[in-house]
Amino acid sequence: MAYYASVNASFGDDHSDHLWSPYEYNGREPNEHYLSSETEVDSRHSPLNETRSQYEQQRDLSVRSQTPVDSLYKNQGLLRQREGKLFDRLLYWKWEIGACLLILIAISAILATLYPHEGRPQPNWPYLISVNSLLSVYGAVFKAALAYIVGSSISQLQWRWYARERSLFDLVRYDSAGRGPLGSLQWLWTNHLRQPLTAFGATLTIVAIAIDPFIQQLVSYDGCSIAHDDELAALPRTNYFVNTGVHIGAGDSSVTPELQAAVNSGVFSPGQPVSFSCSTGNCTFPETFATVGYCSKCQDISDTVQFSQHCYQSYQNMSTPVPCASSGQGLGGRNLTASIPGGISVNTTAMGGTPAVAAMGFSNSGEIQFLINKADFSDSGNTIGGLNKTELGCNTPEFNNKWPCRGWGAASCTLEPCVRVYQSSIDAGVLSETALENSVGIKWGTGQPNSTVNNLPVMGLVDTKCITPQERDGLVKEGYKIDPATRWLGYNTTTEVTLTMPAEDAFPASLSAHNCLYNLDYYTNTGLFRNYLGDFFTGTITGQWAEGGCCVGFDGPQALLSFFNFTDVDFEDVDRKFGDVADSLTRFARENGNPNRSNFATGQVLHYETCLNVRWGWIAMPAALAALTLIFFILTIITTERYQLPIWKSNPLAFVFHGPGGPGLLSTGKPWTSQDQVATLNTTQGMELASKDIVIKLEDVDGQAHLTEVQRHSEPLQAYNSGAQTTGNDRVSSQETL
C-alpha cells in the first residue's frame, strides 16, 4: 500500500498558518499527518465525495498536498542536512547573488572608465568605441541585473503574502510587479504599503527607469589644452649678467647701446615681452623660476615737500622784495620754491618767462626723486596744465588729494639690481608673467673671482631656498648668517662665474652648478648708473606762461616729459614708469645673460583637444540605487529565513504541485514509489526533478482546455541526491487530466 503524508511548513506567524497544511487544522499535532495511510485519507471522505467528478476529487487532493510517505522518510535526513543550513539555502539565490556582483562590477567599471580619463582627451580606442558606448553597456548590465534581483525578490515575497488568506488574483499582481515598472506601479496603486518590502522593491523598479539618463549625464566634452611630452617650451633666464662697454677709466666703462636702448624702451615703449619658444602659442610653466634682473620701488613723499615764497616789486625788478599781499596787485612778481629732503628743488617764478614746474634727479643717498611744484599761484579752477579740476573729479574725496588736483607732489624711487622670481604662461601667443617675489632691499655681496678667465669683481646673491644641507653648512662655516625668514643672502663670490661648473663640484663651486648663485658684473651695474641713468633721470621741466596763468606748453628732457605727461601725473604713474624701466632692463638681462650660466626655464607645450569632463554628482543616483537594491535583496533573504518560506520565487511549478488541483499528479493511481528518490516538493529543485518525469499536453476535455498528463518517464530521477541509492522499477504510463 502506498502511503501519503501532508507537507506542513511553518510559513506564518499566527493561527492562520494551518492554511498551509494540506489538511484542515483539527487540533492534532502536525506530525500526526505524516503517518496517515491511504485508508485514513480515504476514510476522511464522505460518501458524497465518492460520487463527485474526478476533477473535484483531484482538487481535494490538491488541498491536501500529498507526497509519498516512504519517499519522505528516505529524504528526511537529507532535508535536515541541506534545508536546515543557511549556506545550502543560499545556493537557491546563487543567480541573484551573481546579479548583485554584476551591479557592483558595473558601478566599478563606470568609475574605472571615467577616472583615468577625467580632464584628458577622448581616448582613441579601436573599433570606434567611445566612452558613451561603454557607459551605455554598463548601464544596460546595471539595469538588467537590478531588474533580475528585484523581480526575483518580489516573486519570492508573494509566498510571505499568502501566509494569510489572500485573493488568488494577487498572484497576477505579484507576477506583473516582478516583470517591470508598469506592473510595479499597478501593485503600488492597488496595495500601497500593505506589504512594505514589496512596495520597496516596486519603487526600485520604477526608479530604475532613470538610470540611463543619469549615467549619460556623467560626462560632457569641453575644449582643453593638453601638454605633449615630446615638446618643450622655453623662456630665457640667467644666473649671470654682464654687459660692459668700452673701458673709459679706472674701474669704469661705458654703457653699451643695447643696454641704453633697454632703458629707453622701458620709458617710451613699455610692455615689450621677453622672447619665448612655444610652438603652439599655448604653453605653461608649472615651476617658478628665478633670474637676474632689475627691480624698482617708489614711495610717495609729498608730505615732505617744503614751500618758500618770495615776492618782488615787479617782474622787471626782482631785487626789491615786497610783501606778497601787495605783489598780487598790478605787475608784481613772485618766486615759489618747492624742495624735498635729498637736495631736489623747483624754483618757480610767476608772471612771465618760462617757470620751472617739475624736476627729477638723484638724491644724496642715490634715490631718484621726482618733484612737481604748484606753479599756479591763484585759486584757479584748472591745473597748471590747463585741465579742468571739476572734470578730473577733484571735488570728490577720493581724487581731491591727487597730484593734478592738488597741483604738486613728490616721489622717491630706487632702481637696483635684484633676483626676480616668476610664474609664467603663454596663452594664444601672449606671454603672461607674474613676479612673485624679489630680492629688493638685500645687499649684494662683492667678490673677486679666482679665475684666469675673468677676475673682474662681481656681485653675488645666494638663493637659500635652493641650496643643499651641505652647502648651507659651508656658508655657515665661512661666516654667513642665514636668516630662515629671508630667502636671499649676499655672497662674496670667489669661484669661477663664466664657465659651466660640473654638477659634482664641491662647495662653493656647487652653488653655481646648482643654479643657486646669482651674479651681476660689478662694472656693468656701476657704469649703467654712473654713465647713463645719472643723466637720463636728471633735469627740469619748464612751462610757458600764458594769459590767465601757467602754462600752455612744457619743455625739458624727453624722459622727464614722459613722466610728467603734461601735468596729468600722479604717484601711481611714476611708480608704474619706474616699474616699466625695471622690466625692460630685466628682459634685456634675461636675453643677454652669460650663455654658460643661462639655462632656459622649460615648460609644457599645450595642444588644443576635446577633453572628457566628469560630473561626479550624477553618479549618486545609480550608486544609491545599487545600494538600495542590495539592501532590498538582503531583507528578502532575511524575511525568507525568518518565516522559513519555501524558496520558490516565480517558479511556475509551485502552482502546479502546490496550487489547487496540482497534487492530483501524486494520487494513489500513480506508480510513484519510494524508489523514485525524489526530493521533497517543498524545494524548487525537488519540483523541477519531479516535473522532468511528467509529460503533459494541452487538450480539450468536455469543452474546456486542460493540461493532461500523457505519460510518466520510466527513467528514475536521480539528480537531486547523487549519493542516494536508486532502486527503481519501470514506471507505468498513465494519462490523467491535471
Side-chain angles (χ1 to χ4, degrees):
M1 176 181 296
Y3 293 93
Y4 295 84
S6 64
V7 178
N8 182 19
S10 299
F11 303 132
D13 54 357
D14 54 28
H15 292 299
S16 64
D17 293 347
H18 72 277
L19 294 173
W20 286 91
S21 176
Y23 300 124
E24 295 181 358
Y25 185 74
N26 57 8
R28 293 189 296 172
E29 293 298 326
N31 58 11
E32 295 178 9
H33 297 299
Y34 282 101
L35 301 178
S36 298
S37 66
E38 179 183 0
T39 304
E40 292 174 328
V41 172
D42 292 339
S43 66
R44 295 170 64 93
H45 298 287
S46 65
L48 181 60
N49 286 341
E50 299 176 357
T51 62
R52 290 186 296 179
S53 66
Q54 182 181 9
Y55 176 77
E56 292 173 329
Q57 292 177 15
Q58 292 172 351
R59 182 183 60 191
D60 292 340
L61 288 172
S62 167
V63 176
R64 290 193 290 273
S65 287
Q66 296 170 330
T67 55
V69 70
D70 38 359
S71 180
L72 181 62
Y73 272 126
K74 286 198 172 185
N75 287 284
Q76 268 188 335
L78 184 63
L79 287 174
R80 289 172 181 171
Q81 285 182 345
R82 297 193 175 182
E83 292 297 317
K85 296 181 180 179
L86 177 61
F87 177 77
D88 292 330
R89 288 176 62 82
L90 286 177
L91 290 178
Y92 289 103
W93 298 100
K94 57 182 178 294
W95 298 113
E96 288 78 6
I97 294 174
C100 290
L101 294 177
L102 275 181
I103 285 182
L104 297 178
I105 290 173
I107 293 292
S108 300
I110 292 174
L111 298 177
T113 300
L114 297 182
Y115 182 77
H117 298 97
E118 181 181 10
R120 301 188 60 82
Q122 297 184 75
N124 186 20
W125 289 326
Y127 306 109
L128 300 179
I129 297 175
S130 65
V131 172
N132 290 86
S133 299
L134 288 183
L135 292 181
S136 298
V137 173
Y138 301 150
V141 172
F142 185 97
K143 287 180 63 177
L146 184 146
Y148 179 72
I149 295 170
V150 175
S152 183
S153 299
I154 289 177
S155 297
Q156 176 62 22
L157 290 173
Q158 69 185 327
W159 308 119
R160 172 59 184 156
W161 178 257
Y162 276 103
R164 298 173 182 266
E165 295 180 356
R166 307 289 185 184
S167 169
L168 182 62
F169 187 72
D170 285 349
L171 291 174
V172 178
R173 294 194 178 102
Y174 265 95
D175 181 68
S176 298
R179 292 178 182 273
L182 181 58
S184 295
L185 186 62
Q186 292 173 342
W187 194 96
L188 290 173
W189 180 265
T190 304
N191 295 286
H192 306 294
L193 296 177
R194 292 172 61 192
Q195 219 295 351
L197 198 52
T198 303
F200 183 19
T203 303
L204 291 177
T205 302
I206 296 172
V207 174
I209 298 175
I211 289 177
D212 285 333
F214 273 79
I215 291 179
Q216 291 299 325
Q217 285 295 324
L218 274 169
V219 298
S220 63
Y221 298 95
D222 303 313
C224 64
S225 296
I226 299 299
H228 284 213
D229 297 334
D230 56 346
E231 295 182 78
L232 288 177
L235 282 172
R237 54 163 301 281
T238 185
N239 282 76
Y240 177 42
F241 175 60
V242 54
N243 189 267
T244 55
V246 179
H247 178 72
I248 57 177
D252 196 8
S253 62
S254 65
V255 180
T256 63
E258 294 81 10
L259 190 55
Q260 295 181 32
V263 175
N264 296 341
S265 176
V267 174
F268 302 111
S269 57
Q272 297 295 321
V274 68
S275 60
F276 57 83
S277 174
C278 178
S279 60
T280 64
N282 294 285
C283 297
T284 182
F285 296 81
E287 300 293 333
T288 60
F289 62 90
T291 182
V292 173
Y294 279 82
C295 298
S296 67
K297 184 178 180 180
C298 292
Q299 181 181 2
D300 190 340
I301 57 172
S302 298
D303 56 345
T304 66
V305 177
Q306 297 178 353
F307 296 97
S308 62
Q309 182 174 238
H310 302 279
C311 300
Y312 303 94
Q313 180 67 35
S314 66
Y315 177 72
Q316 293 79 10
N317 184 10
M318 300 290 291
S319 60
T320 306
V322 297
C324 291
S326 61
S327 66
Q329 303 172 1
L331 298 177
R334 294 186 184 185
N335 185 288
L336 179 65
T337 301
S339 62
I340 54 178
I344 302 300
S345 63
V346 178
N347 188 4
T348 304
T349 302
M351 299 301 293
T354 54
V357 294
M360 179 181 286
F362 281 81
S363 68
N364 298 331
S365 58
E367 297 175 341
I368 305 173
Q369 295 181 329
F370 181 71
L371 173 64
I372 298 178
N373 194 8
K374 49 182 181 181
D376 193 345
F377 292 88
S378 64
D379 294 329
S380 169
N382 296 330
T383 68
I384 58 176
L387 301 177
N388 186 277
K389 293 183 179 181
T390 302
E391 294 179 356
L392 291 176
C394 295
N395 56 345
T396 61
E398 56 185 313
F399 288 106
N400 59 12
N401 202 38
K402 296 288 186 179
W403 290 6
C405 297
R406 193 171 55 196
W408 54 274
S412 178
C413 300
T414 59
L415 187 64
E416 59 182 279
C418 66
V419 178
R420 303 178 71 167
V421 180
Y422 285 100
Q423 180 76 65
S424 303
S425 64
I426 302 172
D427 187 18
V430 178
L431 173 65
S432 175
E433 289 193 316
T434 302
L436 302 179
E437 58 179 306
N438 56 56
S439 63
V440 170
I442 303 299
K443 184 178 180 180
W444 290 64
T446 303
Q448 190 80 17
N450 182 17
S451 169
T452 58
V453 179
N454 176 27
N455 58 1
L456 296 177
V458 295
M459 304 163 62
L461 275 182
V462 169
D463 182 0
T464 61
K465 191 176 179 180
C466 165
I467 60 177
T468 65
Q470 293 77 12
E471 291 167 341
R472 183 179 297 270
D473 294 339
L475 289 170
V476 172
K477 290 180 180 179
E478 289 189 358
Y480 291 97
K481 295 181 179 180
I482 301 177
D483 184 358
T486 303
R487 178 172 179 175
W488 312 101
L489 175 68
Y491 180 71
N492 299 324
T493 307
T494 58
T495 56
E496 177 61 63
V497 294
T498 60
L499 300 179
T500 302
M501 305 303 292
E504 63 274 8
D505 272 9
F507 177 85
S510 61
L511 293 173
S512 178
H514 298 157
N515 290 329
C516 299
L517 175 63
Y518 296 86
N519 294 114
L520 174 64
D521 180 74
Y522 178 81
Y523 292 138
T524 298
N525 184 65
T526 56
L528 174 65
F529 280 85
R530 180 186 304 169
N531 300 322
Y532 189 71
L533 295 182
D535 294 332
F536 189 81
F537 288 128
T538 300
T540 301
I541 298 176
T542 59
Q544 181 66 45
W545 278 104
E547 184 178 354
C550 180
C551 295
V552 295
F554 300 95
D555 191 20
Q558 291 298 314
L560 272 64
L561 291 174
S562 176
F563 276 84
F564 190 64
N565 195 29
F566 296 96
T567 74
D568 187 14
V569 57
D570 197 16
F571 169 74
E572 288 78 9
D573 301 308
V574 176
D575 187 37
R576 188 190 70 253
K577 273 288 187 181
F578 275 100
D580 292 338
V581 174
D583 290 343
S584 184
L585 286 172
T586 300
R587 176 177 61 84
F588 181 79
R590 291 169 63 180
E591 294 177 346
N592 296 274
N594 181 274
N596 294 324
R597 296 187 57 202
S598 299
N599 297 329
F600 284 95
T602 57
Q604 300 171 328
V605 178
L606 304 178
H607 292 257
Y608 185 83
E609 302 277 0
T610 300
C611 290
L612 184 71
N613 180 34
V614 182
R615 297 175 289 193
W616 290 110
W618 288 94
I619 204 172
M621 184 268 191
L625 196 58
L628 293 175
T629 300
L630 297 181
I631 293 173
F632 172 63
F633 176 57
I634 293 172
L635 291 177
T636 301
I637 294 178
I638 293 174
T639 300
T640 299
E641 294 305 313
R642 177 182 177 185
Y643 297 105
Q644 287 297 294
L645 301 175
I647 308 176
W648 291 342
K649 292 176 271 190
S650 60
N651 197 317
L653 295 177
F655 306 110
V656 174
F657 286 108
H658 298 279
L665 291 170
L666 305 177
S667 62
T668 58
K670 306 295 185 200
W672 196 257
T673 68
S674 60
Q675 296 179 351
D676 293 336
Q677 301 299 324
V678 179
T680 176
L681 296 179
N682 275 345
T683 66
T684 300
Q685 190 171 2
M687 291 187 296
E688 290 177 351
L689 289 173
S691 66
K692 293 178 181 179
D693 201 42
I694 301 173
V695 179
I696 62 175
K697 181 181 180 182
L698 184 64
E699 293 184 348
D700 186 359
V701 178
D702 298 331
Q704 296 184 357
H706 289 278
L707 285 175
T708 304
E709 182 182 3
V710 177
Q711 65 177 6
R712 190 169 299 207
H713 289 310
S714 59
E715 295 296 328
L717 301 175
Q718 306 177 35
Y720 184 73
N721 181 13
S722 59
Q725 299 297 324
T726 303
T727 58
N729 299 323
D730 291 336
R731 304 304 199 288
V732 179
S733 298
S734 64
Q735 181 168 338
E736 183 177 339
T737 303
L738 301 184

